[in-house]
Amino acid sequence: MGRGTVQVLLLLGLLHWGPGGEGRKNWRRRGQQPAAAAAARERSEATGQPVESFPLDFTAVEGNMDSFMAQIKSLAQSLYPCSAQNLHHELRLHLLLDSSVTCNDGSPAGYYLKESKGSRRWLLFLEGGWYCFNRENCDTRYDTMRRLMSSKEWPITKTGTGILSSQPEENPHWWNANMVFIPYCSSDVWSGASSKSEKNEYAFMGALIIQEVVKELVGKGLSNAKVLLLAGSSAGGTGVLLNVDRVAEQLEEMGYQGIQVRGLADSGWFLDNKQYRRTDCIDTITCAPTEAIRRGIRYWNGIVPERCKLQFKEGEEWNCFFGYKIYPTLRCPVFVVQWLFDEAQLTVDNVHLTGQPVQEGQWLYIQNLGRELRNTLKDVTASFAPACLSHEIITRNHWTDIQVKGTSLPRALHCWDRSLHDSNKNGKAPLKGCPIHLIDSCPWPHCNPSCPTIRDQFTGQEMNVIQFLMHMGFDVQKMAQQQGLEPSKLLGMLSSGS
């Protein structure tokens, strides 16, 4: 009999054997008394609802449980083949009950939810998608990207990917959490607090949408949570920095002080740096980040955390939209994920990599951007910053492939989880061999060999880092000279990601 068969039989035995020869066993959470379990059973019988079985809680699992979890999932599929599809739960749309909290066009805001019975971990994800900051570019956005301003055509279900996936293979440490995807339909970097009126053609209620979603989720099991991870990408990543403390304060005020609120900001750590070429502030793409946010915060009636606001003069609240300025004021722990050569940052800085040879000035600007970003992250306790040219990562299928110094992003997040659990428990120092401050030191875009694939925009063919640099018009001979290296040595270093 094979080892796998024995393990399955053992698991079947655990499911079958129970006190007094009962055909199923109700597992209690640690610390739950028999009387409490009996009371729960009585309530269940009174309401006609089945007793919830196997409320497994993996909030603080030590070590790597991936293979064990895969076996549990496989076993469940074999025991319940008719409902095996339910294991690949899609997230289902819920429009907010309070219809006064709306998208830009006045349609109700909402969220997608996939519950995971028994898990006390909740992941709330804020979608990204730029912003608009005046009537003209909001009208253009409504004509071209209506999904980001209205809920009228949202699908009923959504499949989670990356950190929102229910597949252990794709999401090794969070697949079992309660998943919430909050669509971005406020165009205000999740900061607005103004409703639609005769005076205001559009509503900007991003901050209020988050508060309302949290309020509704409390009635759907969030009240029993141990950990709430507020995550987001791009504008959603900046939204995490602006809202994570507010969510923690909201839950405390509601009487749920025991919930540990944390943040995960992906590709939302922007710099208020000088553009490569200054242009007039005409639209979202050409406008310098500082000017766009200055205009936007007034147009949206945007709100920022009080602790950050107090660091700046009145009218200078826009500073709080930039990660390195708001991060020191945050109370909640936040993990920052940021490409060193972020495509959105380069776009607003007017560096457009269109396949044409890059000028020397652009090349030096790009290198300097990487250095500046690296410097802003040096005091961030938990960070993951690969030297890649890309934008967004945590909801991508390939998010497990990217590594910094030999550690993948899911592994770094797991280490962070464990370090927070241990420090809450007994003040231990971070675990050895489990790094959480991971920043690439190589100086060029895509010098990390695990970076996402780059394709030639004309042929569609994949390019390695050397082909990419030559394609962009970089002079390897000159680069080697600048670094004081032989060209062959430089090419070898680029190939290996040194």
Side-chain angles (χ1 to χ4, degrees):
M1 188 183 293
R3 183 180 166 205
T5 310
V6 171
Q7 288 172 322
V8 169
L9 287 174
L10 283 170
L11 286 165
L12 283 168
L14 283 171
L15 294 175
H16 178 71
W17 293 330
E22 290 173 5
R24 80 200 261 197
K25 181 175 178 70
N26 291 323
W27 295 84
R28 293 193 295 274
R29 293 188 181 93
R30 278 192 302 265
Q32 185 177 343
Q33 299 303 311
R41 199 156 46 245
E42 284 172 23
R43 283 197 304 274
S44 177
E45 286 164 4
T47 58
Q49 296 296 314
V51 180
E52 182 188 314
S53 297
F54 313 114
L56 301 173
D57 179 13
F58 299 102
T59 304
V61 169
E62 294 290 330
N64 192 331
M65 295 288 286
D66 299 358
S67 61
F68 176 71
M69 300 318 304
Q71 287 177 53
I72 288 284
K73 183 179 164 192
S74 174
L75 174 64
Q77 286 175 321
S78 63
L79 287 173
Y80 302 103
C82 295
S83 62
Q85 293 306 311
N86 292 335
L87 291 169
H88 307 289
H89 270 143
E90 291 185 314
L91 294 91
R92 185 161 289 276
L93 177 62
H94 300 258
L95 294 175
L96 291 178
L97 299 174
D98 184 347
S99 57
S100 70
V101 180
T102 72
C103 298
N104 291 129
D105 69 343
S107 58
Y111 58 95
Y112 289 83
L113 169 66
K114 182 192 77 66
E115 295 177 72
S116 180
K117 297 293 184 188
S119 173
R120 295 177 64 197
R121 299 204 298 171
W122 286 72
L123 195 160
L124 277 62
F125 179 83
L126 306 180
E127 186 183 23
W130 292 90
Y131 45 77
C132 59
F133 53 80
N134 61 32
R135 174 69 186 273
E136 292 72 33
N137 58 46
C138 285
D139 284 347
T140 301
R141 182 178 172 90
Y142 192 70
D143 290 339
T144 57
M145 295 186 279
R146 193 161 300 183
R147 181 188 68 77
L148 293 173
M149 298 184 76
S150 172
S151 65
K152 289 174 183 174
E153 295 181 6
W154 287 352
I156 298 300
T157 59
K158 190 171 186 61
T159 302
T161 53
I163 202 169
L164 291 171
S165 172
S166 301
Q167 306 298 320
E169 305 80 24
E170 188 176 334
N171 188 14
H173 304 298
W174 277 87
W175 69 271
N176 188 45
N178 297 277
M179 304 290 189
V180 182
F181 177 95
I182 312 179
Y184 184 39
C185 67
S186 56
S187 310
D188 56 6
V189 198
W190 297 97
S191 71
S194 64
S195 54
K196 186 177 177 183
S197 64
E198 287 180 20
K199 187 181 171 186
N200 300 326
E201 177 68 21
Y202 296 109
F204 298 98
M205 308 186 81
L208 304 183
I209 290 168
I210 296 170
Q211 286 182 34
E212 198 58 35
V213 169
V214 169
K215 197 191 297 183
E216 283 199 17
L217 291 175
V218 162
K220 294 180 183 288
L222 180 61
S223 54
N224 296 317
K226 190 166 185 179
V227 174
L228 184 159
L229 180 64
L230 183 68
S233 293
S234 194
T238 309
V240 168
L241 299 170
L242 291 169
N243 289 280
V244 66
D245 279 359
R246 195 176 296 122
V247 168
E249 287 158 14
Q250 179 186 358
L251 288 168
E252 282 171 18
E253 286 167 10
M254 294 174 79
Y256 303 110
Q257 292 91 342
I259 302 174
Q260 298 167 36
V261 178
R262 303 168 187 169
L264 171 58
D266 165 32
S267 303
W269 185 276
F270 293 103
L271 301 182
D272 54 343
N273 59 342
K274 192 176 175 183
Q275 290 175 297
Y276 172 64
R277 274 210 181 91
R278 194 185 175 285
T279 49
D280 292 333
C281 186
I282 299 165
D283 54 32
T284 310
I285 304 297
T286 59
C287 196
T290 46
E291 185 56 31
I293 296 299
R294 265 197 193 98
R295 296 184 186 195
I297 202 168
R298 292 195 296 268
Y299 189 54
W300 311 322
N301 188 25
I303 52 176
V304 300
E306 199 62 30
R307 279 164 62 89
C308 184
K309 188 177 178 180
L310 293 171
Q311 305 293 312
F312 303 99
K313 289 186 285 188
E314 191 176 345
E316 300 290 305
E317 295 87 353
W318 59 267
N319 283 282
C320 297
F321 283 72
F322 295 93
Y324 74 99
K325 293 181 176 180
I326 189 174
Y327 178 84
T329 72
L330 297 178
R331 286 180 166 148
C332 292
V334 173
F335 192 109
V336 176
V337 180
Q338 187 67 37
W339 304 108
L340 290 180
F341 304 97
D342 186 274
E343 287 175 321
Q345 178 77 55
L346 286 167
T347 297
V348 295
D349 285 339
N350 285 324
V351 178
H352 303 292
L353 303 177
T354 58
Q356 298 300 314
V358 172
Q359 296 165 4
E360 187 175 2
Q362 284 180 306
W363 171 233
L364 293 173
Y365 184 93
I366 291 166
Q367 282 185 293
N368 190 57
L369 173 67
R371 278 194 296 272
E372 282 186 43
L373 215 142
R374 195 181 288 113
N375 286 338
T376 65
L377 293 171
K378 66 179 187 295
D379 295 323
V380 176
T381 307
S383 53
F384 188 89
C388 305
L389 177 70
S390 195
H391 185 60
E392 301 188 354
I393 178 63
I394 62 173
T395 55
R396 303 284 194 242
N397 301 97
H398 62 262
W399 81 299
T400 57
D401 299 337
I402 314 301
Q403 295 190 358
V404 174
K405 298 175 182 173
T407 299
S408 70
L409 177 51
R411 169 72 178 159
L413 286 171
H414 182 55
C415 291
W416 181 57
D417 256 358
R418 290 177 63 186
S419 71
L420 291 172
H421 173 70
D422 285 349
S423 63
N424 279 344
K425 205 163 138 187
N426 51 20
K428 272 188 191 172
L431 297 158
K432 283 185 180 175
C434 215
I436 58 173
H437 184 78
L438 293 155
I439 301 173
D440 261 337
S441 52
C442 61
W444 300 293
H446 267 62
C447 55
N448 177 330
S450 72
C451 287
T453 301
I454 304 177
R455 292 183 182 276
D456 184 311
Q457 68 183 71
F458 301 114
T459 66
Q461 290 183 319
E462 292 186 11
M463 293 186 286
N464 63 31
V465 65
I466 298 169
Q467 290 169 327
F468 165 68
L469 291 172
M470 294 177 77
H471 175 76
M472 299 309 291
F474 297 136
D475 185 333
V476 176
Q477 192 87 28
K478 195 168 183 181
M479 283 166 61
Q481 199 175 2
Q482 284 176 351
Q483 302 296 320
L485 297 169
E486 289 293 320
S488 57
K489 170 99 173 179
L490 175 60
L491 290 172
M493 289 171 67
L494 287 171
S495 298
S496 64
S498 301

